[in-house]
Amino acid sequence: MNTYETLQQKALGLAFVLAPLLMVFGSAAYVLGIGLTPFGTDSWVDGVFAAYGFLLMIPVTFELARILGQRAPVYGLICAILGLGWGMSTVAAALKIVQMGIVNAGLDESIWTVMETAPGSLLLMLPSLLAFVGFLALGTGLLWKGGIPRWAAVLMIAGSALAFVGVAGGAEIAAWQTKVLAPLATVAYLAALAPIGLRYLAGDGRIDEPEPATA
């Protein structure tokens, strides 16, 4: 392993730790009422943490898809493509910050109500939801084919299911979804991904021995 590959491995390790950790911080800010909007549905502080967390989930997904791809190439590639949706999730996170801008401008309107009536908003937000579906599929594939510890794959599946339910619903989203399910999802992601990241940081790039690839 050359110097670049060593640095890349450590950068991946940081991403595995920081991505879910930032999401946990964001969820905690919302639950604690830090930076809460007047509507009580969002926190701009959560938006900042979540945006960076979602962005870091892209290399995390690509790395996990690479591991899965050694065993199931087509499946791994599909999961990697769906993982690009994490980038679009930063838009949803940024809208939580925009909400405060709307309020400060003297407009009494929920950003999610605005988005539901905006042309093309569904096409913009759909990849974000598909990212959670893709991560669930990725966890299922890794549980099936191996590549990471089974408990980590199970936590990925559980976290993705909780996250999808926790964010689905638009303006009609319930408090129990955002204050219970969504935070639990971030904790599940942290528990699944951080130990893998720590192994990468320690220089142990081998999570599991690869098996012969099958389509």
Side-chain angles (χ1 to χ4, degrees):
M1 183 179 294
N2 59 37
T3 302
Y4 175 79
E5 291 171 337
T6 300
L7 292 175
Q8 182 187 49
Q9 178 177 292
K10 292 188 179 301
L12 277 172
L14 281 175
F16 269 84
V17 175
L18 289 178
L21 185 61
L22 289 170
M23 289 191 283
V24 167
F25 286 162
S27 293
Y30 172 67
V31 172
L32 295 173
I34 301 173
L36 211 61
T37 66
F39 300 99
T41 56
D42 298 291
S43 161
W44 70 266
V45 177
D46 177 23
V48 172
F49 280 120
Y52 284 105
F54 292 153
L55 193 63
L56 288 173
M57 283 295 286
I58 297 176
V60 169
T61 300
F62 279 8
E63 174 64 8
L64 291 173
R66 182 192 66 80
I67 294 172
L68 177 59
Q70 293 175 345
R71 297 155 173 82
V74 175
Y75 194 164
L77 179 61
I78 292 172
C79 290
I81 293 172
L82 291 175
L84 290 172
W86 288 110
M88 300 305 291
S89 295
T90 61
V91 175
L95 289 176
K96 298 180 180 182
I97 304 172
V98 173
Q99 176 69 85
M100 288 305 297
I102 290 176
V103 172
N104 292 336
L107 302 176
D108 184 23
E109 188 62 78
S110 168
I111 188 64
W112 306 115
T113 302
V114 173
M115 286 299 295
E116 285 185 349
T117 60
S121 61
L122 178 60
L123 293 176
L124 187 66
M125 302 308 296
L126 182 59
S128 178
L129 294 177
L130 289 179
F132 295 115
V133 175
F135 212 67
L136 188 150
L138 186 55
T140 302
L142 290 167
L143 181 64
W144 172 37
K145 291 291 187 178
I148 65 173
R150 293 179 63 86
W151 55 265
V154 170
L155 285 171
M156 284 175 58
I157 296 170
S160 299
L162 289 170
F164 186 85
V165 177
V167 302
E172 304 301 323
I173 195 167
W176 63 269
Q177 289 175 265
T178 55
K179 290 190 175 181
V180 178
L181 297 187
L184 283 177
T186 63
V187 172
Y189 280 160
L190 180 63
L193 301 177
I196 297 175
L198 291 176
R199 290 182 62 174
Y200 274 61
L201 287 171
D204 184 5
R206 182 185 63 82
I207 301 301
D208 192 23
E209 289 288 350
E211 300 172 2
T214 57

